[in-house]
Amino acid sequence: MIDDWNSDRVNRFRAEAASRGLPGDEVEEWIRLTLPGVYWTQGGDGPLAARMGGDPLLPLDAPNASYPFVASVDCALLPPGAAGLPLPADGHLLFFAEPSVSFAGLMTDAVRYVPAGTPTAARRVDSWHEPFASHGMRTMWHHLSQPDPESFAEARWDDPDDEQYELADELESAWTHVGGSWPTWTFALRGNPVVVNDDPMSLARDSTPEAGDADDWMLLATWRCGEAVKELDMGVISWLIRRQDLASLRFDRVYGHVDM
């Protein structure tokens, strides 16, 4: 397990940004929008906190899953308060997704929670897609995740111009420069979205525009599919949820998104 919050990274970023002459207000806004995340990659010798692919372990009386099984996370093996998410102390979170751009919008069966001690059995998902390759995820670490520069610019300024987009890119460059070397991750809890074409956070917020609700959305998990899903051409699948729903273990209105 790699366990390094990189606690002085923010100070190194401030120094690097100052050396490039970047505006202090924008530097502080970038810092404010960084988010903690928990990340996994295949293999390693740590505890089996996450498992990818294969057949899901479902409660004996649970209904069949609607989508192929992607991953299971053992909440008991996560650091306390992992990624700032109101997660249960034990039990498993199960993630499901269809490897298609049609997997988009509010979902009632994209995430399930299985309480600790629940009798389970492996069950094949009835789907047009074969089960994803099964492997354990024992290498786990957590660090701050930077915002997407284009999303940063569009949230920071009304109708940003080329110079403002370039400033956002320069902020990302300064942040990356002081970040150190991390393994290439496959699956993550929270952090900022990986944006390929569309920002899933913006899409989720737009799906529930009622006052007082849109800003409650948060990224729950991300799967960088890589070569494991040929249909998506290095695609990214995201699961988003409102904070109060996660705290209540209510997973019947998760927002799913596929990008490629």
Side-chain angles (χ1 to χ4, degrees):
M1 174 178 175
I2 303 169
D3 189 1
D4 182 5
W5 276 103
N6 215 358
S7 58
D8 64 343
R9 183 176 187 180
V10 167
N11 290 331
R12 299 200 310 273
F13 169 64
R14 286 193 178 104
E16 177 65 21
S19 74
R20 301 185 186 201
L22 302 181
D25 288 349
E26 311 312 333
V27 169
E28 294 306 313
E29 180 66 7
W30 183 273
I31 293 169
R32 187 183 72 82
L33 293 177
T34 60
L35 292 172
V38 178
Y39 299 85
W40 283 273
T41 191
Q42 186 174 349
D45 56 3
L48 186 59
R51 180 175 65 89
M52 300 290 297
D55 296 328
L57 295 174
L58 294 175
L60 303 182
D61 59 351
N64 292 329
S66 303
Y67 309 107
F69 172 64
V70 173
S72 173
V73 173
D74 188 340
C75 296
L77 296 179
L78 295 174
L85 293 171
L87 295 172
D90 52 23
H92 288 78
L93 284 178
L94 276 55
F95 295 86
F96 302 84
E98 188 171 278
S100 165
V101 292
S102 64
F103 185 80
L106 292 171
M107 311 280 178
T108 61
D109 195 29
V111 180
R112 294 190 187 186
Y113 173 63
V114 180
T118 303
T120 61
R123 192 186 311 173
R124 179 62 53 95
V125 176
D126 184 13
S127 169
W128 62 270
H129 196 279
E130 290 296 315
F132 301 120
S134 177
H135 57 265
M137 308 278 278
R138 296 180 182 273
T139 299
M140 178 178 68
W141 68 98
H142 42 110
H143 67 85
L144 294 174
S145 164
Q146 75 270 21
D148 174 74
E150 183 174 330
S151 298
F152 174 89
E154 292 172 355
R156 184 66 169 161
W157 301 289
D158 293 331
D159 193 19
D161 57 27
D162 288 346
E163 289 187 0
Q164 289 166 326
Y165 279 118
E166 290 172 3
L167 173 55
D169 287 337
E170 189 67 15
L171 289 164
E172 182 190 40
S173 174
W175 178 266
T176 302
H177 180 76
V178 302
S181 178
W182 299 90
T184 299
W185 59 271
T186 299
F187 191 80
L189 292 179
R190 207 185 182 193
N192 273 297
V194 175
V195 178
V196 181
N197 294 296
D198 300 307
D199 187 334
M201 186 66 71
S202 296
L203 296 175
R205 288 170 174 166
D206 290 345
S207 74
T208 54
E210 56 267 28
D213 187 53
D215 287 341
D216 292 336
W217 283 99
M218 60 194 304
L219 180 65
L220 176 58
T222 304
W223 180 30
R224 293 166 65 176
C225 308
E227 296 182 356
V229 185
K230 303 295 185 184
E231 297 89 346
L232 293 183
D233 188 24
M234 307 299 287
V236 175
I237 299 180
S238 305
W239 296 262
L240 300 96
I241 193 170
R242 285 172 281 203
R243 177 175 284 273
Q244 67 270 28
D245 285 342
L246 178 57
S248 302
L249 299 181
R250 180 173 179 178
F251 297 107
D252 60 336
R253 48 185 182 181
V254 166
Y255 190 93
H257 181 256
V258 170
D259 211 347
M260 58 181 286

